[in-house]
Amino acid sequence: ALVKTKMSFLKFIKTVMPAFVVCISSANFGAAFNTIFDDLFSVNVDTSTANLSVNLGSVFFQPACTLTFVFSSLFMATEYGVEITAVWVVMAILLSVVLVGTMPNIPGASVTVITLLYAQLGLPAETVSLMIAINAILQFFTTGIDVWCLQSEILCIDCSQKTKDKV
């Protein structure tokens, strides 16, 4: 994002850090919603780009949650002796992507996703309770990282649009 937007590292950190701090302290995307807009508008991101990207991104763009679900599934399968095949891995990835897209952005919503994902992958029931306990801590970090990634992507999109408009 820094190279593409020609933004200094310090300015980038000042732009994305307030929303990241709100998310990492609350595990709630909604709590940082206004902060995200304020941060993006402070660096002159186009209003229509910010409105569309933040609203859609808050639902569908959650890379940290997706990776957490995929890798936790792999870990639990390894620990509990579930056979991991290529088809199983593809299913874990596809189900994680789809289920994260259906998950509301509220704290604790991942409990339903974990339950559905692990059941579909044939993981034992005790893995669900274990992951729910672990996820209570991980959710703070995944929400913060998701917001950090979303703001970085929006900055890149905005820069691309402004560059295209100049040509």
Side-chain angles (χ1 to χ4, degrees):
L2 296 177
V3 174
K4 198 170 187 179
T5 60
K6 297 179 178 128
M7 182 183 290
S8 72
F9 181 72
L10 187 59
K11 186 173 182 177
F12 173 77
I13 294 297
K14 284 183 179 179
T15 303
V16 298
M17 199 54 126
F20 176 77
V21 169
V22 170
C23 284
I24 206 163
S25 63
S26 67
N28 187 351
F29 185 95
F33 203 70
N34 288 334
T35 308
I36 294 168
F37 280 110
D38 292 344
D39 295 344
L40 293 173
F41 293 149
S42 73
V43 291
N44 299 322
V45 170
D46 182 54
T47 305
S48 60
T49 300
N51 286 334
L52 179 65
S53 301
V54 171
N55 288 311
L56 283 177
S58 68
V59 176
F60 296 111
F61 188 74
Q62 298 181 31
C65 283
T66 305
L67 290 174
T68 300
F69 294 149
V70 170
F71 287 115
S72 71
S73 300
L74 287 168
F75 174 77
M76 294 297 183
T78 303
E79 289 298 311
Y80 284 86
V82 174
E83 183 181 0
I84 300 174
T85 63
V87 173
W88 190 95
V89 172
V90 169
M91 265 185 54
I93 293 169
L94 290 176
L95 284 170
S96 294
V97 169
V98 170
L99 290 172
V100 164
T102 63
M103 184 174 69
N105 280 316
I106 56 173
S110 58
V111 170
T112 57
V113 171
I114 291 167
T115 306
L116 291 170
L117 176 65
Y118 285 13
Q120 291 298 314
L121 295 174
L123 295 170
E126 58 266 18
T127 61
V128 174
S129 58
L130 179 60
M131 188 56 200
I132 288 171
I134 294 169
N135 192 57
I137 297 165
L138 286 179
Q139 190 169 12
F140 290 92
F141 298 104
T142 57
T143 306
I145 293 167
D146 287 341
V147 167
W148 179 288
C149 292
L150 178 62
Q151 285 182 301
S152 300
E153 189 63 31
I154 293 170
L155 290 171
C156 286
I157 290 168
D158 187 64
C159 179
S160 297
Q161 286 179 343
K162 289 178 181 174
T163 304
K164 189 190 294 185
D165 292 342
K166 288 181 182 178
V167 175

